[in-house]
Amino acid sequence: MITPRLGVNIDHVATIRNARGENYPSPLRAAILAQKFGADSITIHLREDRRHIKEEDLKEIKKKLKIPLNLEIAPTNEMLRISLKYKPTFVCIVPEKRMEITTEGGLNLKKKYFLIKKIINHLKKKKIRTSLFIEPNLNDVKIAKKIGADCIEIHTGKICNLLNHKKNIKKEFKKIQKSVNFAKFIGLEVHLGHGITFHSAKLLSKIQGINEYNIGHFLIGESIFIGIKESINKFKKILKK
Ligand code: PXP
């Protein structure tokens, strides 16, 4: 059995900062504290519209962080250029739509096949670990392998949402479980991310073989009430089971 790593996404510290246009609360401070309190990596999403993290945050965090930095990017040439400039430890490619509140689904791997393949090839040459954010379906897992990614991150938004609204999660749970098993079988690392709360983490932790969880919105929100140390500790405890 493996103990999954916890990646802490600190985008929403930047969201609060940006709401006032001030220089606080500091995403760098949040990253350093999360590192101190047991995060295995820090995730930031440099969106094309820069609504959370800015390029300056990426530069500072990359310089000061000792644990791996996981940069989420849209599959574009601009984001490839930025990734090659700052060389984060990991890159996770995610889809982006301008009007969405958050990342609404997985990548369309068929449509973006050649662009994603090009991005992965460039990143691999710089020894950056590559991951693709996908929906839990076997076809996308197969394409992710073929395209050359090291890992997949399965979008858990749907199951977390069903759970939040006390709806039946059986079908979605099975889909995730099947995708995880198949991905492991063909030699991909498997991560889960999006919408995860203490409650959904408990459910998802029943799936064997997950290497990494990337958690942001709930973890940062909960930090307001119980502190970032306790919020990280609680997730780590749940995910260890
Ligand atoms: N993983 C990926 C690929 C994401 O795009 C996001 C959201 O930015 C997350 C994980 C974290 O999701 P949440 O903030 O809902 O925990």
Side-chain angles (χ1 to χ4, degrees):
M1 239 174 52
I2 51 170
T3 303
R5 300 180 299 265
L6 172 64
V8 174
N9 180 318
I10 54 154
D11 285 340
H12 294 295
V13 176
T15 311
I16 298 173
R17 176 196 61 190
N18 300 348
R20 281 290 180 91
E22 289 290 349
N23 59 1
Y24 62 85
S26 154
L28 172 66
R29 186 174 169 202
I32 299 296
L33 276 179
Q35 168 179 271
K36 182 175 168 190
F37 297 134
D40 297 296
S41 54
I42 297 296
T43 295
I44 52 177
H45 184 177
L46 185 72
R47 289 188 76 104
E48 292 181 279
D49 62 8
R50 309 295 195 268
R51 73 170 74 148
H52 328 288
I53 295 292
K54 319 270 185 220
E55 205 173 319
E56 197 53 33
D57 298 313
L58 163 61
K59 186 178 164 187
E60 270 201 309
I61 292 169
K62 173 68 176 79
K63 204 158 58 181
K64 306 249 168 78
L65 198 72
K66 300 217 163 52
I67 54 175
L69 176 64
N70 178 34
L71 178 66
E72 293 177 359
I73 59 164
T76 66
N77 287 312
E78 185 207 7
M79 288 298 152
L80 172 61
R81 181 185 59 72
I82 292 173
S83 303
L84 293 174
K85 182 173 171 191
Y86 295 104
K87 297 188 192 65
T89 333
F90 312 144
V91 163
C92 179
I93 305 175
V94 304
E96 251 181 60
K97 289 188 211 131
R98 186 65 353 95
M99 298 312 287
E100 68 189 358
I101 294 173
T102 182
T103 318
E104 280 166 0
L107 288 159
N108 185 336
L109 294 180
K110 271 193 198 146
K111 196 169 157 198
K112 300 263 177 183
Y113 189 90
F114 291 103
L115 178 58
I116 292 175
K117 194 175 171 66
K118 180 183 91 169
I119 293 173
I120 286 181
N121 286 342
H122 278 284
L123 296 174
K124 279 189 142 179
K125 274 188 209 145
K126 297 289 175 200
K127 309 234 174 326
I128 296 171
R129 187 196 76 178
T130 56
S131 178
L132 298 178
F133 194 40
I134 62 169
E135 290 295 317
N137 74 65
L138 301 188
N139 207 33
D140 282 343
V141 176
K142 210 186 293 176
I143 301 175
K145 179 72 182 171
K146 189 168 163 228
I147 219 167
D150 302 304
C151 328
I152 52 162
E153 180 158 327
I154 295 177
H155 195 306
T156 52
K158 186 169 176 191
I159 193 164
C160 292
N161 202 266
L162 289 170
L163 201 64
N164 289 345
H165 295 94
K166 299 188 171 47
K167 293 198 175 133
N168 195 328
I169 48 92
K170 255 192 191 159
K171 200 169 137 204
E172 193 62 19
F173 188 82
K174 265 199 186 144
K175 264 169 53 180
I176 296 175
Q177 200 159 35
K178 268 174 87 175
S179 300
V180 172
N181 291 343
F182 180 55
K184 303 293 291 186
F185 180 70
I186 60 175
L188 286 164
E189 243 203 44
V190 182
H191 310 161
L192 299 183
H194 213 281
I196 300 176
T197 63
F198 293 143
H199 190 35
S200 41
K202 208 172 268 182
L203 171 77
L204 293 166
S205 71
K206 292 188 181 134
I207 301 173
Q208 296 298 311
I210 308 300
N211 301 91
E212 186 175 302
Y213 289 80
N214 284 301
I215 306 176
H217 185 252
F218 181 86
L219 189 154
I220 296 298
E222 207 48 26
S223 303
I224 297 169
F225 306 109
I226 62 172
I228 193 166
K229 181 180 180 184
E230 186 57 17
S231 195
I232 289 173
N233 273 345
K234 273 181 99 164
F235 268 117
K236 288 205 91 156
K237 237 182 248 166
I238 293 167
L239 299 175
K240 235 194 323 192
K241 281 176 203 153

